[in-house]
Amino acid sequence: MPSDYAADDGHEALLETCSDSTRPHLASGWVGAKNRWRKRQDGQRWLSVCWHRLVQSCRFLTTRRFLSVLLVLITMSITYNIVIFYFENPVFPISSAWKEPRLLPLQMTCSALTETRRNLSKQPEHRSMAKLRIDAKVLLFVETIYSRLGRDIAELLVHNRIKYKVDVVGKSLPVLTNLDKGKFAVIVFENLTKYLTMDNWNRELLDKYCREYGVGVVGFHPVSEEVLIGSQLKGFPIFVHTKMNLKNAALNPASNVLRLTRAGETAWGNLPGNDWTVFAPNHSTYEPLEWASPNSELPSPFVSDHGAARLLYTVVQDHGTYDGIQRVLFGSGLGFWLHRLLLLDALTHLSQGQISLGLNRYVLIDIDDIFVGEKGTRLKPPDVEALLSSQKRLQAMVSGFKFNLGFSGMYFHHGTDEENAGEDLLMEHIDDFSWFSHMWNHKQPHLYDNYTHLEMDMKLNKNFATEKNIPTDSGYSVAPHHAGVYPVHEYLYEAWKKVWNVKVTSTEEYPHLRPARLRRGFIHRNIMVLPRQTCGLFTHTYLIEKYPGGREKLDENIQGGELFQSIVFNPINIFMTHMSNYGNDRLALYTFESVLKFTQCWTNLRLLSTLPVELGEKYFQMFPEEEDPIWGNPCDDSRHIKTWSHNKTCQQLPNFLVIGPQKTGTTALYSFLSMHPNINSNLNSIDTFEEIQFFNGKNYYRGLDWYMGFFPVPINSSSQYLFEKSATYFDGEQVPKRAHALLPQAKLVTILISPAKRAYSWYQHMRAHGDQVALNYSFYEVITASESSNRPLRDLRNRCLLPGKYSQHLERWLTYYSSSQLFIIDGEELRTAPVDVMNSVQKFLKITPPFDYATHLRFDKKKGFYCQIINEDKTKCLGRSKGRKYPQMDERSLKLLQRYYLSHNTALVKLLKRLGHQNIPGWLKMDLSDTMVT
Ligand code: A3P
């Protein structure tokens, strides 16, 4: 017996506690070697039997018999070669019609697959009273903001929508509590050593917090430079051995950490990397969570008295009986897929159920182009039968599962006779599947510039469906290449609603295709857009040879890789596949059956499926914060620009925004800017008087096309500047985020005056507009209104006071935009020296050629403000509503407001200094100094 085989048997014996029923190939590991050896042995045995028989039969051989045997052999060989030629050559339809797919099922016979009904109800919830006292948020300590593992952890948290804060270890601790509530439910250290060697003061503080709030710690042992053998973890009764090369990982079925992850199977094969740390505990507080076998000779501490290697603990749980803090320690990062699952379970356990992911996973598999495909790549009757039987097997795993078939009726019966027969067979089984409309002719909707044509084509597909008895009421549709869904082509939404009553669709493009973990949903015009997942199969990947990286890559994707993780991390998975993936090598059937089996083997997830409309409702019940879309710039994504109407241009978007706040002189600035021959403002909105107010209100839901409709297409975009002024943008909660998503390069201009004066000007503005509250209450009454005052009064008070908290609002803008994109104008200077101000604005905006405002602006005595020069005697001033005459603010109100804004004004001074402003505006100094005196 060859020695390598003997060694493998020995390792198998080490793992006698683990089930050996599942043997996914993690790499070309020992299972492959063993199989090769077995084949070799079988082959040798077969040859020797044949030889023996031949020698025996030679005794009866005559020349005649010999010749006839030879003739038979030659005939057989010729026939065999002809048959092989026809079967293997794709030119001949016989080849794929009769050939069984070449992918044998993935070897997976884990116990979960043989159990008639998996008992999923008993997974621990870990819930406790702690939920009242700690927020479901992770505090992640990283070595640097660039460290790899830290990024991997953060990405995993984002993918699972777990809130977190990153902090660089070594600095002082962030604030851990808010009133009597813990701000973090679990503390994660990317590098366990940094936790162990933290300075005493911080460590004591952290330990105290963990004990008081029942918060646990996760630590990853770092890759060590040197080989450590039996080295003690500082301060703990546990030892480590580093730089290990391991294989065959299994989980401790008795561990109470496991919730999402299912124990009982073994991940056969080499574990990634050769720098694993293993733990050797010396206290009952520790319990192994994962173990593995060595891949190389072991040093003495890890060999038992009998000379056999022990199981090596690669992840351990600290029950907290040693020092009152529970922990989970990892001997390697997230390179091994199982650790990603274990980390999620550790977070649930250590947060006492505060951070918890549901165990239901919905799976919908769309076959986008059921009738679309080249001749020779389409479904034949055996493929349809295979589809039906695969669906049955999937239904046994995924409750409520049906393949969801998308049709473009125009291409029905466009295949060979046999392929057409395949489609006829599909039609016989209409009721076995779910159906949704694609486009009649598979044309991308953004290519329709004429609404009527789009609607007509949609109707053709509907007529086709009605004729064929295909259900038309799914409320779901997907556009070819998802075109028109995002970026939005409004005609598509309109026609979908009208012709198909579409309520839900899906795309992988929102906000971008990559990274897939950031794909999200949104609702536009009452149509729910769900994120769609990619399974790695496309129209061109219909044979295993065409799969990038071949079968090994596909299997890697399934066995713990991206596809598997997509199912684990996304509660609702809508997968896109194509008809060609179900014919030919039937890669889709292989992929989904395998990945769902793998999910059953390794997780306690409940696999479910339901109708798309219900999926949409569930999705937005789970993630209501995603309902509002965030419009991005289609030109910032090369894929988006390809599915955007050729009639649209990103040049129709503003280069800069005048963001307000109201009553600071924004109209004056707007009119001065508009005087410049190279600067164009937006066209006026009929609904909102002169301002578009896109980013802050309901207008945002009207979409990008609506917004762009306000801007002229610049004749020369390099020398012409577009801008928009909406003074309410300044303090709009959502505005900076939305504006940045669409206009990340835009410049921002804001004007500040004394916030007290601004409040008073707003009040006067409301009175002038006949606002009853402003007319019925004095300014003092408005600004001193209490929480028990009537609602309209409180509203007016808020609108008077809140925009004046300048520093708060500016900080919000600065979380999205860099300070170099922001220009702050002193409103008093704009009023008294507009020429100087306009010169600096032009400089900031880099506008060429500069416009000579000195020859275009003149102080108008009658108006009391600078106005545009028309000729020597005539000026054009702003209307009566700007620069109104009204009594001065009473002293009592002024003092009160100066006090009210004290902390905000102080913060503003700091902010201005941080932004490099040499001169603090006079009004700000005055407001602050007046407060000091009183
Ligand atoms: P008042 O009307 O209270 O004096 P906005 O355009 O942002 O609503 O701001 C209006 C304010 O702009 C006016 O408030 C006025 O003081 C100020 N302003 C500054 N320069 C001006 C100008 N050249 N013409 C008119 N108003 C000007």
Side-chain angles (χ1 to χ4, degrees):
M1 189 176 276
S3 59
D4 61 337
Y5 192 27
D8 284 348
D9 267 354
H11 290 157
E12 209 167 28
L14 282 174
L15 291 159
E16 58 199 4
T17 49
C18 325
S19 151
D20 68 346
S21 48
T22 310
R23 297 186 171 207
H25 303 254
L26 286 168
S28 52
W30 66 285
V31 179
K34 196 158 77 176
N35 287 341
R36 276 198 301 281
W37 184 83
R38 273 189 185 136
K39 274 189 196 148
R40 216 162 52 224
Q41 293 289 305
D42 290 349
Q44 283 166 6
R45 221 174 292 136
W46 185 78
L47 274 177
S48 80
V49 169
C50 286
W51 179 247
H52 184 68
R53 292 211 174 134
L54 195 70
V55 170
Q56 275 189 342
S57 48
C58 280
R59 281 192 271 151
F60 307 101
L61 197 66
T62 63
T63 316
R64 236 181 99 197
R65 272 188 186 157
F66 175 76
L67 283 175
S68 42
V69 167
L70 198 66
L71 196 69
V72 168
L73 281 175
I74 291 169
T75 323
M76 276 170 67
S77 154
I78 292 170
T79 320
Y80 174 80
N81 278 314
I82 291 172
V83 169
I84 287 297
F85 175 76
Y86 276 95
F87 268 71
E88 289 295 320
N89 194 338
V91 173
F92 296 95
I94 185 176
S95 58
S96 40
W98 294 102
K99 191 174 61 180
E100 272 306 302
R102 287 166 293 161
L103 294 183
L104 295 173
L106 204 59
Q107 283 298 300
M108 259 189 285
T109 48
C110 69
S111 55
L113 299 177
T114 47
E115 283 166 20
T116 37
R117 204 157 215 268
R118 292 194 308 154
N119 188 355
L120 298 173
S121 55
K122 52 177 193 207
Q123 302 320 315
E125 282 290 330
H126 303 303
R127 294 246 178 235
S128 79
M129 289 305 284
K131 70 178 176 193
L132 301 172
R133 297 190 65 209
I134 46 178
D135 282 337
K137 195 170 177 184
V138 170
L139 175 57
L140 169 61
F141 281 109
V142 293
E143 279 196 85
T144 71
I145 46 165
Y146 306 106
S147 28
R148 174 71 203 268
L149 177 56
R151 270 208 329 256
D152 285 352
I153 299 169
E155 285 172 5
L156 181 79
L157 298 176
V158 171
H159 203 152
N160 287 278
R161 296 171 162 91
I162 297 172
K163 284 192 264 165
Y164 69 99
K165 175 183 167 65
V166 182
D167 213 69
V168 178
V169 75
K171 297 193 309 183
S172 53
L173 288 181
V175 181
L176 298 172
T177 53
N178 182 11
L179 302 172
D180 192 30
K181 223 174 166 203
K183 290 177 82 172
F184 306 102
V186 183
I187 317 291
V188 178
F189 282 86
E190 176 202 16
N191 182 341
L192 179 62
T193 315
K194 297 284 173 188
Y195 171 61
L196 302 173
T197 55
M198 227 173 181
D199 69 79
N200 288 347
W201 170 258
N202 280 338
R203 178 62 186 277
E204 271 169 31
L205 215 71
L206 192 67
D207 285 358
K208 187 166 174 278
Y209 171 77
C210 289
R211 285 190 198 105
E212 217 168 295
Y213 289 87
V215 163
V217 173
V218 173
F220 290 84
H221 197 274
V223 173
S224 80
E225 304 261 299
E226 45 179 334
V227 178
L228 301 173
I229 301 174
S231 158
Q232 186 170 4
L233 285 191
K234 191 177 171 231
F236 291 98
I238 187 165
F239 301 84
V240 291
H241 179 66
T242 62
K243 285 206 166 292
M244 297 286 287
N245 200 337
L246 304 175
K247 63 182 181 183
N248 307 344
L251 303 172
N252 174 7
S255 169
N256 65 351
V257 172
L258 300 179
R259 179 171 178 272
L260 188 149
T261 325
R262 180 180 170 276
E265 313 306 334
T266 300
W268 298 102
N270 296 330
L271 302 188
N274 49 13
D275 38 26
W276 282 64
T277 295
V278 295
F279 300 95
N282 192 15
H283 194 281
S284 60
T285 190
Y286 298 106
E287 187 185 357
L289 182 51
E290 178 193 78
W291 51 65
S293 302
N295 227 351
S296 48
E297 213 173 288
L298 281 179
S300 55
F302 296 94
V303 181
S304 74
D305 298 341
H306 319 293
R310 294 175 206 275
L311 289 174
L312 303 175
Y313 297 162
T314 44
V315 181
V316 289
Q317 174 187 4
D318 175 350
H319 284 280
T321 54
Y322 180 70
D323 68 348
I325 299 170
Q326 296 201 46
R327 300 179 184 85
V328 173
L329 309 179
F330 286 79
S332 165
L334 299 180
F336 180 34
W337 61 269
L338 197 46
H339 285 190
R340 292 169 181 254
L341 272 62
L342 290 180
L343 176 57
L344 294 178
D345 275 345
L347 294 178
T348 307
H349 178 74
L350 296 173
S351 68
Q352 306 189 46
Q354 259 307 81
I355 297 171
S356 181
L357 307 170
L359 294 180
N360 289 347
R361 295 293 180 276
Y362 287 87
V363 178
L364 180 73
I365 302 174
D366 288 354
I367 308 180
D368 271 8
D369 303 319
I370 198 65
F371 306 130
V372 183
E374 294 293 315
K375 268 189 190 164
T377 65
R378 300 161 68 109
L379 301 190
K380 301 172 184 75
D383 298 320
V384 177
E385 273 152 20
L387 184 69
L388 284 159
S389 36
S390 173
Q391 177 164 280
K392 278 211 181 90
R393 288 190 294 276
L394 288 169
Q395 279 164 349
M397 289 188 269
V398 184
S399 155
F401 179 81
K402 272 184 179 186
F403 280 111
N404 198 25
L405 313 189
F407 56 93
S408 295
M410 186 173 146
Y411 298 100
F412 182 69
H413 269 192
H414 270 50
T416 61
D417 288 349
E418 210 192 347
E419 289 168 341
N420 293 348
E423 283 171 7
D424 291 337
L425 187 58
L426 262 184
M427 292 296 102
E428 284 170 32
H429 289 275
I430 283 178
D431 294 340
D432 290 319
F433 302 108
S434 304
W435 296 83
F436 66 91
S437 166
H438 223 35
M439 283 295 291
W440 158 249
N441 48 6
H442 204 255
K443 183 171 163 181
Q444 298 176 338
H446 73 285
L447 300 174
Y448 289 87
D449 291 322
N450 179 311
Y451 173 78
T452 320
H453 289 166
L454 178 63
E455 191 188 311
M456 257 162 49
D457 277 354
M458 271 193 193
K459 280 184 177 157
L460 286 176
N461 215 27
K462 192 161 184 186
N463 294 345
F464 164 81
T466 318
E467 220 173 80
K468 297 280 175 215
N469 285 328
I470 294 174
T472 56
D473 57 354
S474 74
Y476 180 66
S477 189
V478 173
H481 303 118
H482 326 174
V485 176
Y486 188 79
V488 166
H489 192 58
E490 298 292 351
Y491 286 168
L492 172 67
Y493 282 73
E494 212 174 313
W496 259 351
K497 281 168 79 109
K498 192 165 170 202
V499 181
W500 285 100
N501 193 18
V502 168
K503 296 192 176 84
V504 60
T505 181
S506 56
T507 182
E508 48 182 25
E509 296 294 339
Y510 177 76
H512 302 282
L513 179 77
R514 297 264 167 220
R517 66 178 177 280
L518 293 182
R519 287 181 207 162
R520 296 289 183 260
F522 66 96
I523 301 178
H524 182 54
R525 292 184 173 223
N526 277 333
I527 293 182
M528 298 176 279
V529 182
L530 300 182
R532 197 172 167 80
Q533 308 306 328
T534 323
C535 65
L537 299 175
F538 304 95
T539 34
H540 56 277
T541 41
Y542 55 89
L543 296 172
I544 189 63
E545 293 85 30
K546 302 207 170 193
Y547 191 87
R551 178 164 187 173
E552 201 181 318
K553 202 78 201 151
L554 176 61
D555 286 350
E556 202 180 293
N557 202 13
I558 292 166
Q559 297 175 88
E562 206 177 322
L563 179 58
F564 166 73
Q565 288 177 34
S566 166
I567 294 174
V568 177
F569 302 157
N570 292 312
I572 293 176
N573 284 276
I574 301 181
F575 288 108
M576 172 189 68
T577 58
H578 302 91
M579 179 252 273
S580 51
N581 308 138
Y582 293 82
N584 311 291
D585 274 354
R586 298 178 195 152
L587 290 187
L589 300 183
Y590 170 81
T591 302
F592 285 109
E593 282 195 45
S594 305
V595 75
L596 293 170
K597 276 184 193 169
F598 194 83
T599 311
Q600 282 203 317
C601 283
W602 282 100
T603 73
N604 291 311
L605 297 173
R606 271 177 226 104
L607 297 172
L608 306 159
S609 192
T610 188
L611 303 171
V613 174
E614 277 178 35
L615 282 185
E617 280 157 8
K618 278 182 199 304
Y619 186 90
F620 289 105
Q621 266 162 23
M622 263 185 264
F623 310 116
E625 68 286 357
E626 287 183 28
E627 284 182 11
D628 280 2
I630 296 280
W631 307 125
N633 186 336
C635 298
D636 290 346
D637 184 317
S638 58
R639 289 174 61 90
H640 291 179
I641 191 90
K642 282 190 197 134
T643 56
W644 207 38
S645 165
H646 301 310
N647 292 340
K648 296 176 191 169
T649 162
C650 298
Q651 286 164 11
Q652 231 176 324
L653 286 170
N655 308 89
F656 68 95
L657 299 174
V658 175
I659 58 175
Q662 286 173 297
K663 309 316 293 173
T664 55
T666 54
T667 319
L669 178 64
Y670 173 90
S671 77
F672 297 163
L673 285 165
S674 304
M675 286 159 61
H676 196 298
N678 285 358
I679 299 178
N680 287 313
S681 70
N682 56 279
L683 313 167
N684 286 347
S685 157
I686 315 158
D687 299 348
T688 53
F689 306 103
E690 78 268 28
E691 295 183 342
I692 307 180
Q693 299 189 4
F694 176 63
F695 294 108
N696 57 333
K698 288 207 176 86
N699 287 337
Y700 191 68
Y701 306 117
R702 297 187 181 199
L704 188 54
D705 289 1
W706 180 86
Y707 184 52
M708 290 198 318
F710 284 94
F711 296 94
V713 181
I715 297 154
N716 180 352
S717 62
S718 59
S719 64
Q720 283 186 304
Y721 299 83
L722 290 179
F723 82 102
E724 186 225 334
K725 184 264 299 189
S726 288
T728 44
Y729 285 170
F730 181 78
D731 54 311
E733 198 79 40
Q734 303 272 21
V735 180
K737 182 168 82 179
R738 289 174 172 177
H740 187 259
L742 183 64
L743 310 166
Q745 309 302 333
K747 295 197 171 177
L748 312 168
V749 182
T750 179
I751 312 168
L752 304 181
I753 60 169
S754 158
K757 266 181 93 176
R758 198 214 71 84
Y760 187 57
S761 170
W762 168 255
Y763 168 78
Q764 291 298 343
H765 171 84
M766 293 308 280
R767 279 174 71 89
H769 276 83
D771 181 90
Q772 284 309 306
V773 190
L775 289 171
N776 289 339
Y777 292 90
S778 72
F779 182 56
Y780 188 78
E781 283 167 332
V782 171
I783 58 175
T784 54
S786 70
E787 286 315 303
S788 56
S789 311
N790 61 60
R791 179 79 194 268
L793 182 57
R794 277 185 289 139
D795 283 350
L796 186 69
R797 177 201 63 188
N798 291 344
R799 288 166 73 199
C800 265
L801 297 179
L802 299 186
K805 298 177 175 182
Y806 296 148
S807 59
Q808 247 175 43
H809 302 302
L810 287 173
E811 291 289 8
R812 192 170 43 237
W813 281 97
L814 289 168
T815 55
Y816 293 92
Y817 285 92
S818 76
S819 54
S820 64
Q821 288 172 279
L822 175 70
F823 191 74
I824 302 175
I825 294 175
D826 175 351
E828 291 305 333
E829 214 180 320
L830 177 70
R831 194 181 159 135
T832 53
V835 174
D836 294 345
V837 169
M838 291 316 291
N839 285 342
S840 17
V841 171
Q842 290 189 85
K843 224 163 134 190
F844 166 73
L845 296 172
K846 296 201 171 77
I847 286 173
T848 48
F851 187 68
D852 182 12
Y853 280 97
T855 55
H856 289 87
L857 291 177
R858 184 166 65 217
F859 187 77
D860 185 296
K861 279 195 195 135
K862 200 163 152 224
K863 177 77 180 171
F865 287 94
Y866 276 83
C867 302
Q868 186 179 358
I869 300 172
I870 301 296
N871 56 38
E872 245 175 59
D873 316 310
K874 219 170 153 203
T875 54
K876 188 178 157 204
C877 299
L878 297 185
R880 269 194 302 147
S881 64
K882 305 291 166 186
R884 283 197 186 90
K885 306 270 182 279
Y886 44 78
Q888 268 208 332
M889 188 183 351
D890 63 291
E891 196 62 16
R892 189 169 60 147
S893 298
L894 178 65
K895 292 292 167 211
L896 187 134
L897 286 179
Q898 283 172 335
R899 269 199 309 279
Y900 175 82
Y901 286 118
L902 175 62
S903 62
H904 303 284
N905 282 343
T906 313
L908 180 63
V909 173
K910 276 194 195 146
L911 175 64
L912 292 176
K913 285 191 176 153
R914 198 178 87 212
L915 296 178
H917 285 246
Q918 309 290 344
N919 302 322
I920 301 302
W923 54 263
L924 185 52
K925 283 187 199 151
M926 183 102 79
D927 272 358
L928 284 169
S929 64
D930 280 3
T931 325
M932 298 302 184
V933 175
T934 50

